[in-house]
Amino acid sequence: MKRLLALGHEREVEFQAGRGEWFCALGWARRLGGEGRCEEALQVLAPYLATGWWRAAEAQAELLEGWGRAEEAIALVLPFAEAGDRLALVSVGRLLARHGRGGEAFELLKGGIGEWYLAACLVEVAAEAGRDEEVAALLEARIAAAVPACDDPECGNVRVEPSNAIDLLAAVRERQGRIDEAVALLHTRRVTSVNGRDQLADLLARHGRIEELRAYAATEHHGHAVRSLAEVLEGRGDLEAAIDVYRTFGAVPGGRWHVAVPLAELLARHGRGEEAIEVMGALADSPGGWEDWIVDTLCTLYADQGRAREALARLDAVAARQGRAEDWEFFRIRLWLMGRLGLHEEAIDLARRHPEGDSWYGVWSRSGLLAEVGRTEEALALLEQDPNSLRSLRAEYLVDLGRIEEAVRVHQEEKAVPVEVPWSGECSVEPPF
């Protein structure tokens, strides 16, 4: 849909919106709203809203709010939240809080304190409602009600619901300025890192408690606290200290696996690309360093400095040393580097002859190389050899070629449902195992 609109095919998007294609309807409604044609936009969504579908109601509410009609938006979606729809509760809670009705949002959400997703939203809206102490009490009660995680009397783990209760309570205490309490709470966690970040480390960094952060970083084995410390030091302009923090942690057994990439990124940001390459190269040359993500990062550093040919040589050396020159994990990096060198034709031929060149991922890479050099028809023909695979990419190429109706049909195709063969009771010896 976005591609169709970007390339000027508004009429097709409008047509498909009227035929039940939700994403076309949403895109077309947003386009109309952006042009000030608000009532027309609402008419586009009306058939979807009439089904009682939450996503359509949410989309219309977003449009109404954007047009300054927040009360209409709230009236539209509030019944969904009051009916207990989990997604609606969060969306409506935030909508109410944004428009000065934080107290209502709090009352709406507080019954979901036992679910991590709803509890996180409750903590958000508590600030607007001025009810931090109340949400803190609710969370403290949940933490106090923790139960053993299993029946093993020697197991010290406990189960708290919501699972993020400690993290959320710490966030409330920080918001109240009770930093020492927040720090003490976070020291009691068993899971310290979420999505690559450590809440305690980030809290210490925000409040300039650098010595505490240093001490914590020395004991936190994921390297996330080290990263927070390095970010603070870099932000203060002390680049050498930031580098030293990473290098010190990297010298600990197993430590460099956690900090090599952020250290290399730091060095590259400051124009020290050769040092960045040395960091990743040392990791790639170490036992177990042939992992594709390591080699990929190393080759990208080379290529970003205009040294893709050196990257190819380094890739060959690593792959040969591990006897994995033909493994697709390495081969796809080779194809990308050849593309950076302008060797598309050679790369296309090499990929075609590879033992895995006809796999779905091989076809994906080959078609991309063909499209890069303007051979989109050939790329499309290659994809059409397996009509049930990579349909989105096929549709993209069809749009690029101006074959809009075919592109829409491809998006609307459904894979044939495989026939289930009853199990005979005997295990097969044929792959896949």
Side-chain angles (χ1 to χ4, degrees), residues 11-194:
R11 298 284 73 79
E12 184 64 30
V13 173
E14 180 183 13
F15 175 68
Q16 294 299 331
R19 296 183 69 244
E21 287 292 335
W22 164 246
F23 289 107
C24 286
L26 181 58
W28 186 235
R30 285 173 174 167
R31 172 65 65 89
L32 291 170
E35 295 173 355
R37 298 159 65 183
C38 301
E39 295 311 312
E40 291 177 68
L42 295 180
Q43 288 172 16
V44 171
L45 295 180
Y48 301 88
L49 185 61
T51 67
W53 185 35
W54 157 247
R55 182 66 189 93
E58 182 183 40
Q60 182 159 315
E62 287 170 3
L63 291 175
L64 289 166
E65 183 185 16
W67 302 334
R69 295 159 63 176
E71 290 305 316
E72 288 179 63
I74 291 168
L76 174 65
V77 294
L78 187 56
F80 289 88
E82 290 174 337
D85 184 295
R86 187 168 177 264
L87 295 177
L89 280 165
V90 169
S91 180
V92 176
R94 289 173 174 155
L95 174 63
L96 288 166
R98 284 197 298 272
H99 294 280
R101 295 168 64 173
E104 290 176 65
F106 191 91
E107 292 300 325
L108 192 65
L109 286 159
K110 73 177 183 180
I113 187 67
E115 295 188 55
W116 72 269
Y117 186 61
L118 298 178
C121 187
L122 180 64
V123 167
E124 285 181 39
V125 304
E128 174 64 31
R131 296 170 75 169
D132 273 350
E133 230 8 272
E134 188 173 343
V135 75
L138 290 171
L139 290 166
E140 286 174 334
R142 304 298 298 195
I143 294 168
V147 297
C150 62
D151 295 330
D152 184 351
E154 296 183 7
C155 176
N157 292 332
V158 294
R159 185 174 69 250
V160 181
E161 294 178 355
S163 57
N164 55 348
I166 292 174
D167 309 79
L168 293 175
L169 181 55
V172 174
R173 293 309 185 207
E174 181 186 7
R175 196 159 68 201
Q176 294 176 312
R178 296 158 65 172
I179 310 304
D180 288 341
E181 290 179 53
V183 169
L185 275 165
L186 291 173
H187 273 300
T188 68
R189 300 165 301 164
R190 289 191 176 273
V191 177
T192 59
S193 296
V194 178

Side-chain angles (χ1 to χ4, degrees), residues 308-332:
R309 199 168 296 280
E310 290 177 66
L312 271 176
R314 192 67 178 264
L315 175 65
D316 284 340
V318 174
R321 187 167 64 248
Q322 299 297 328
R324 301 183 62 190
E326 289 299 301
D327 283 12
W328 191 265
E329 290 88 347
F330 287 96
F331 192 77
R332 64 171 178 80

